[in-house]
């Protein structure tokens, strides 16, 4: 997020430098078409840059099980001793309400969200502000709760078989 701010700041400075001739060259200053084209170009460049960095900030995350930890991202590692509860859901209706902006990466979602897991019309579990890393092509999900931090993680792997296998491995470590 910090890099995105600096990138947008640099783009703004470049836009200001390009705009200087429009203000100081009399023929350009009086030409409204030049000003409109310049404004449209600045908006398009900022839009493209923001879209690109937003997609880049939402990478696909594959949960990896280590010797005594599960890792989602470099800065998101949970000790297996800190797992309070692990649940497996299969063939359920999954409703996500994103907290913040999210740009799609095909059929993948990662980020903070409120999650409602339903079977028919019955709500099986509601998670407020959970970390979600799911592949929409797989309808099996693991819900992991971290001790003391009251954090919930909802994730799956590429296939039901892999997801279920990781669930059984995590279940061995849950206390």
């Amino acid at each position: 997020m910090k890099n995105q701010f600096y990138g947008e700041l640099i783009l703004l400075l470049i836009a200001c430098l390009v705009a200087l001739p429009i203000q100081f060259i009399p023929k350009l200053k009086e030409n409204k078409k030049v000003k409109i084209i310049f404004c449209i170009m600045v908006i398009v460049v900022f839009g493209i840059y923001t879209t690109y960095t937003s997609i880049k900030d939402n990478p696909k995350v594959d949960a990896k099980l280590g010797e005594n930890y599960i890792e989602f991202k470099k800065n998101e590692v949970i000790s297996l001793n800190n797992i309070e509860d692990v649940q497996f859901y299969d063939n359920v209706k999954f409703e996500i309400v994103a907290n913040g902006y999210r740009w799609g990466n095909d059929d993948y979602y990662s980020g903070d969200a409120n999650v409602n897991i339903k079977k028919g019309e019955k709500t099986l579990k509601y998670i407020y502000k959970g970390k979600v890393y799911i592949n929409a092509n797989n309808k099996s999900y693991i819900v992991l709760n971290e001790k003391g931090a009251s954090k919930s993680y909802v994730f799956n792997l590429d296939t039901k078989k892999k997801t279920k296998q990781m669930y059984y491995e995590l279940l061995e470590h849950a206390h």
Side-chain angles (χ1 to χ4, degrees):
M1 197 68 146
K2 199 175 193 180
N3 290 338
Q4 183 177 355
F5 171 75
Y6 290 132
E8 289 175 357
L9 186 62
I10 290 169
L11 279 176
L12 180 65
L13 289 173
I14 291 170
C16 290
L17 289 173
V18 172
L20 284 176
I22 293 173
Q23 291 300 316
F24 294 112
I25 298 174
K27 285 184 180 179
L28 293 178
K29 190 174 183 178
E30 294 170 7
N31 192 337
K32 289 185 180 185
K33 286 182 184 178
V34 170
K35 287 183 181 181
I36 291 171
I37 291 171
F38 174 76
C39 289
I40 290 171
M41 285 177 37
V42 168
I43 290 169
V44 167
V45 168
F46 272 100
I48 290 170
Y49 179 78
T50 302
T51 302
Y52 167 76
T53 55
S54 297
I55 291 170
K56 192 177 128 205
D57 287 346
N58 188 30
K60 185 173 181 187
V61 175
D62 285 324
K64 294 178 186 102
L65 200 54
E67 197 170 304
N68 59 358
Y69 63 89
I70 183 169
E71 179 180 22
F72 295 102
K73 296 191 252 183
K74 284 184 181 180
N75 60 348
E76 208 164 44
V77 178
I78 302 169
S79 169
L80 295 179
N81 295 330
N82 286 342
I83 296 175
E84 183 174 41
D85 184 34
V86 178
Q87 298 168 342
F88 181 79
Y89 295 95
D90 191 26
N91 295 322
V92 292
K93 188 176 178 184
F94 201 78
E95 297 173 351
I96 299 174
V97 178
N99 293 334
Y101 72 92
R102 285 292 165 244
W103 292 86
N105 283 337
D106 298 323
D107 291 335
Y108 187 79
Y109 178 89
S110 72
D112 297 331
N114 299 332
V115 179
N116 195 5
I117 301 172
K118 292 181 165 187
K119 189 80 167 187
E121 291 301 313
K122 181 181 177 189
T123 296
L124 300 175
K125 185 159 184 101
Y126 181 78
I127 299 166
Y128 180 69
K129 290 187 180 180
K131 296 281 187 179
V132 180
Y133 307 108
I134 60 165
N135 179 346
N137 295 324
N138 180 6
K139 300 298 180 196
S140 301
Y141 308 99
I142 296 173
V143 177
L144 180 138
N145 295 318
E146 191 176 3
K147 283 182 188 173
S150 63
K151 281 187 183 178
S152 293
Y153 296 84
V154 180
F155 65 98
N156 63 9
L157 301 174
D158 293 334
T159 65
K160 178 180 178 176
K161 183 178 178 181
K162 288 180 184 178
T163 303
K164 203 166 202 174
Q165 181 181 354
M166 181 173 278
Y167 166 71
Y168 287 126
E169 291 176 26
L170 287 170
L171 197 57
E172 292 177 15
H173 297 20
H175 300 289

